[in-house]
Each structure stands twice: as structure tokens, then as C-alpha cells.
Amino acid sequence: MLATLLSYLALGAFVGVMAGLLGVGGGLIIVPVLAWIFRNQQVSAEIIMHLAIGTSLATIVLTSISSVRAHHRLGAVLWPIFWRLAPGIVIGAWAGAAVAHFLSSFVLQKVFAVFVLAMSAQMGFGAKPAPGRDLPGTVGMGAAGGLIGLVSAIVGIGGGSLTVPFLLWCNVLIRQAVATSAACGLPIALAGSLGFMVTGWTIPDLPRWSFGYVYGPALISIAAVSMLFAPLGVKLAHTLPTETLKRVFAVFLALVGFKMLLG
């Protein structure tokens, strides 16, 4: 148990530093590492990915609150855009949790692997969508929010890798796109994690201290430590070559993606 707890604490520290250093969402790191830890804990293979994704979303609830407050104090969050995306995001995240519940852990692992490989390619090549249009109307914003929420909940991320490109494509400035995306991460994580808690509540063979598909000890350990270490990552960002590190991290994600896809 002590080794497992230390693993959660180390994961939280790594996630915090990387988030501050590269602006990388925690879910891309948390989900595969938790899946590995749960496998070593002898968690049932049928629920490993569900438990990893649900726990990842729950940690994002706690960590995103401090991120949103920081961006709000700087006046960078475009709240009108947030409120237009939020209803679709919540519905999509709920739907994503329901879809994930009916997928096997094996299928979820492959879906996550493909998504990680796509994010690795995007980060490695630094691809960004060119501004091509204005923000869509109510229906379009609802559909965009629904798709962002759906995919984010299925793979256990805060949605930044989807929301930021969408906003950039709609001519939103990068600083405001990142800040607004951070705000959108809160309803994604909140609705998604609640969905995973509800759908997993009656599942047998869950580890002790699980709340549906959210594992309490991992949630508390990772969230608390990652918030402590995020400022260190921010400081390192001013001294280390972040573009080079992004490419190194992209290679790391590619290895994780291929491992999960083939393993």
C-alpha cells in the first residue's frame, strides 16, 4: 500500500510540473499511468480503464479550479463564449460517461491510444489551425461543445487539446483561447466524473474507497500534489527550452500510445 501511495504522489508531482512547464493536460498522463498502477493492484481487468478515466476526470475538477481563477484574475477568460459552449459540454460529457460505461476496458484502451497518438503528432509537429471563420451560432456552439465534452469524457481529459484548436479556428486570440479552454475544462471534468461515478456505482469488484469509477485515494493524492508542483513547472518554463521539451514529450506520448494500442 505504501508503494502504491508513493506512486500516486509521484504521478501527481509529474503531472503538476508538466502542466506548469508545457501546459499539458493531466489526463494524457494520468490515465495510462493509473491503468498501469491499477493493474499492479490487481484491479479487475474489466474496469481498469473505466476507473483510470473516471479518476482522471475527478482530479481535473480540483486542479482546474485554481487554473480558472488564475486566468480569470488576468481577465483572459471570454465568459460569453464559455456560457455558449457550456450546455453542450455538460450534455456531451454526460453522454461520454454513458458511452464509456458500455465499452469494454479493452476498447477504451484502444480508443485512448489512438487519441494519444493524434495528440503526440499534433504536439510534435506544432500544428495549429489557421483562423478560418467566426464563432458559429447557438446550434453550432452547442454541437461543438457537445463533441468536445463527449470525446473528452471518453478519454478522461479536460478538453484543452480540442477546445483551443476550435477557438483558434474561430479567430479567438491564443491567450484568450487557452484561458477560455481552461474554464471549459471544469464543466467537462465535473459532468464527466459525476457520470462515471453514477454509471459505476453498482459495479462489483471495485477497489475499496471507490465512488463508482472514481478511486478516492488516487484522486486525493494526485490532485493535492499536482497543485503543489504546478508553480515549479511554471518557473522552469522560464529557464528550460520548452519547445524542445514539447517534442521530447511528444515522443513519450507516442511510445505510450503505441504501447497501449499494441499491448
Side-chain angles (χ1 to χ4, degrees):
M1 186 62 194
L2 178 59
T4 301
L5 178 60
L6 291 175
S7 298
Y8 295 144
L9 296 176
L11 174 57
F14 182 64
V15 167
V17 171
M18 296 305 291
L21 179 60
L22 303 179
V24 177
L28 292 175
I29 305 170
I30 293 172
V31 171
V33 176
L34 276 185
W36 176 75
I37 295 174
F38 290 155
R39 190 169 289 110
N40 289 333
Q41 282 186 257
Q42 305 302 312
V43 173
S44 171
E46 296 179 0
I47 61 170
I48 281 179
M49 285 300 294
H50 300 80
L51 198 63
I53 292 170
T55 305
S56 173
L57 288 168
T59 64
I60 294 169
V61 172
L62 300 178
T63 56
S64 67
I65 292 174
S66 59
S67 175
V68 173
R69 289 178 61 189
H71 284 296
H72 176 68
R73 283 197 298 268
L74 295 173
V77 180
L78 298 177
W79 290 110
I81 293 178
F82 167 83
W83 289 115
R84 292 176 65 191
L85 286 171
I89 280 174
V90 171
I91 294 171
W94 269 100
V99 169
H101 174 66
F102 289 105
L103 297 177
S104 69
S105 187
F106 176 82
V107 171
L108 275 178
Q109 178 175 319
K110 304 310 177 188
V111 170
F112 181 84
V114 171
F115 185 83
V116 167
L117 288 172
M119 292 302 100
S120 169
Q122 189 276 331
M123 183 176 293
F125 293 106
K128 294 180 181 178
R133 55 159 301 152
D134 294 327
L135 289 166
T138 301
V139 174
M141 290 292 278
L147 182 61
I148 290 169
L150 177 73
V151 175
S152 299
I154 290 175
V155 296
I157 64 171
S161 54
L162 301 174
T163 310
V164 171
F166 168 71
L167 293 178
L168 291 178
W169 181 52
C170 295
N171 282 288
V172 176
L173 297 176
I174 180 64
R175 177 172 172 268
Q176 295 172 320
V178 170
T180 306
S181 171
C184 290
L186 182 56
I188 289 173
L190 187 59
S193 59
L194 286 174
F196 273 87
M197 290 173 69
V198 171
T199 56
W201 199 261
T202 58
I203 297 298
D205 300 326
L206 286 167
R208 190 182 180 190
W209 305 113
S210 293
F211 303 91
Y213 289 129
V214 174
Y215 185 49
L219 163 63
I220 295 171
S221 303
I222 295 169
V225 177
S226 64
M227 287 190 286
L228 289 175
F229 276 79
L232 173 60
V234 173
K235 290 182 180 179
L236 291 174
H238 294 281
T239 59
L240 298 177
T242 54
E243 289 304 316
T244 300
L245 289 173
K246 278 188 178 181
R247 286 176 171 78
V248 172
F249 187 69
V251 173
F252 166 75
L253 287 181
L255 293 174
V256 170
F258 281 118
K259 172 68 175 176
M260 297 187 76
L261 188 63
L262 303 175

